[in-house]
Amino acid sequence: MYVEDYVSNLSRTKISMSIPMWDLHLLNIRTSKAESVGILRVHHSIGDGVSLMSLFMSCSRKVSDPDALPTLPASKKQKPCSSSGGFLQRFIRLFSVLLIYWNTFVDAVMFLITILFLDDTKTPLKGPSGVGSTPRRIVHRIVSLDDVKLVKNAMNATINDVMVGVTQAALSRYLNRKYGKNKKGGGGAAGNSNLPKNIRLRATSFVNLRPYLGNEVISETMKSSSDVKLGNLIGYVLFPFTIALREDALDYVRSAKATGKRKKATLEAIYTYFMAKTLNKFFGAKWGSFPNQTTLLFSNVPGPQEEITCFGHQVAYVAPTCYGQSNVSIDYLMSTGINDSCCELCQ
C-alpha cells in the first residue's frame, strides 16, 4: 500500500523542466514480490513503450550469462509473396489487399467521426473532461503466463486475444454490479444482467510502428545505422470492447480474437500516426493527442524473455504504465520470462 501511495503521489507532480526529463526513485521497502522497488519516471516525449523498454534492456544483463544482453522478441518478418501460383491463389491475394484498403477506409472514417462527435456511452468507467490532470491510482497484478498460454493454445489465439478477453469479462462484471446497485432497493441479483443495451465502449489501443530493437546495444546500433529511430513512433486503433454477460467465459476470448483479426487487416495505425503528426504540427498538441472520446487506453509492451539483472541487482518484475492521458482507466500488459509471469496494470 505504501508503494501504491508513493506512485500515486508522483502522478500529482510534473517533472521539472530544469532537469533531464526523467527521475529515479529507490524505495528500500520489502514487498510480497521483491526485496525493494525502483520507480523510473520518464517523460513520454523521450520515447514510447518499445523505445524505452529497449533502452532499459540495454542496461540489463541475463542472469544466466552476466555478459549477455537480454533478448527482446523481434517482429516477425512476413515472407514475400511469390508471383507464381494458380488463379485461386492470385485471387485470394488480390482479395486480401482490397480487404485491407476497405478496412482502412472504414476505420479512417470512424476515427474522424469519433474525433468530431461520436463519444462512448456514459458509464461509471467514462471519465469527465480534464480527468488527465487528476491523480491516478496505479495498481499492478502478476498472473501466470502459463495459464494465459494454456487458454491461448486451446483457442488457437494470441496472448493479446486472451488478455483482451479477460479485460472484457472483468469490465462486464464490474459494470453489471455497478448498474445493479443503482437500481431501486439495491437492484439486480448477482446472476441477472443489469447492463443497458448497446453499450459503446472502446479502447484506444497503441500499435508499435517500428521493428523491435532487439538485444543489440542501442548506442552502438545508433552509431552504425541511421535507420534506428527512438522517440515516439506509435499509431493507435479504436478497439471496440464487447460488454455483456456470457454463460461461456471463452466467448470473451472468441470475441477479442475476431476483433483483433479484423484490426490486423487494416492500416489504421499508420493513418492515425500521420494524422496525429499533421494535427500536432498545424493545430498544436491538444488536437494531435490521443482521442478522449474513448473509455480507456489499452496497450502492451514486450519484455525480456529470460530473467535479468540491472546493475548487478536481479529484477523480480517490470511493471510499465503511464499517466496524464484523458482516460480514467489505462490497462498496460507486459509478458516476460521473469518468474514466468505476465504483468497486468490498471489505473
Side-chain angles (χ1 to χ4, degrees), residues 1-9 27 136-141:
M1 183 62 69
Y2 178 84
V3 174
E4 290 180 9
D5 290 341
Y6 190 94
V7 176
S8 179
N9 287 331
L27 306 182
R136 297 301 177 101
R137 193 73 186 176
I138 299 175
V139 180
H140 85 271
R141 292 292 181 266

Side-chain angles (χ1 to χ4, degrees), residues 106-260:
V106 173
D107 291 338
V109 172
M110 283 300 300
F111 187 80
L112 287 173
I113 293 175
T114 297
I115 290 178
L116 294 175
F117 60 84
L118 188 62
D119 267 358
D120 279 4
T121 305
K122 298 295 183 182
T123 67
L125 290 171
K126 187 78 168 66
S129 59
V131 73
S133 58
T134 59
R136 297 301 177 101
R137 193 73 186 176
I138 299 175
V139 180
H140 85 271
R141 292 292 181 266
I142 297 178
V143 298
S144 170
L145 188 57
D146 287 338
D147 292 343
V148 176
K149 287 182 177 178
L150 179 65
V151 179
K152 162 187 169 293
N153 295 332
M155 299 292 293
N156 191 26
T158 64
I159 290 178
N160 271 4
D161 295 335
V162 177
M163 297 310 298
V164 171
V166 170
T167 305
Q168 289 185 145
L171 294 181
S172 297
R173 295 182 182 185
Y174 170 78
L175 288 175
N176 188 56
R177 289 198 306 268
K178 293 292 286 186
Y179 283 113
K181 291 179 180 179
N182 291 336
K183 287 186 176 181
K184 288 185 177 180
N192 297 333
S193 176
N194 306 304
L195 296 170
K197 293 183 179 180
N198 302 321
I199 290 181
R200 183 191 303 113
L201 192 152
R202 296 169 297 171
T204 302
S205 182
F206 301 106
V207 179
N208 172 54
L209 298 181
R210 67 164 72 80
Y212 298 149
L213 299 179
N215 59 345
E216 299 180 35
V217 178
I218 303 302
S219 57
E220 295 181 1
T221 306
M222 293 180 67
K223 291 178 182 178
S224 61
S225 174
S226 59
D227 296 330
V228 176
K229 293 183 179 180
L230 297 178
N232 287 277
L233 193 59
I234 53 174
Y236 36 88
V237 301
L238 301 182
F239 198 100
F241 275 40
T242 302
I243 301 300
L245 295 184
R246 307 288 192 187
E247 293 184 4
D248 185 357
L250 293 178
D251 284 343
Y252 293 107
V253 180
R254 295 186 183 99
S255 172
K257 179 182 176 182
T259 306

Side-chain angles (χ1 to χ4, degrees), residues 30-78:
R30 184 176 183 179
T31 68
S32 59
K33 299 297 181 182
E35 294 295 324
S36 58
V37 180
I39 304 167
L40 178 62
R41 182 170 61 158
V42 185
H43 197 278
H44 218 311
S45 61
I46 293 180
D48 54 37
V50 172
S51 176
L52 296 177
M53 183 54 60
S54 298
L55 288 169
F56 176 70
M57 289 298 101
S58 69
C59 301
S60 306
R61 296 296 182 268
K62 295 180 182 179
V63 170
S64 58
D65 185 357
D67 296 325
L69 288 163
T71 306
L72 280 176
S75 58
K76 297 179 180 179
K77 295 182 179 180
Q78 295 183 349

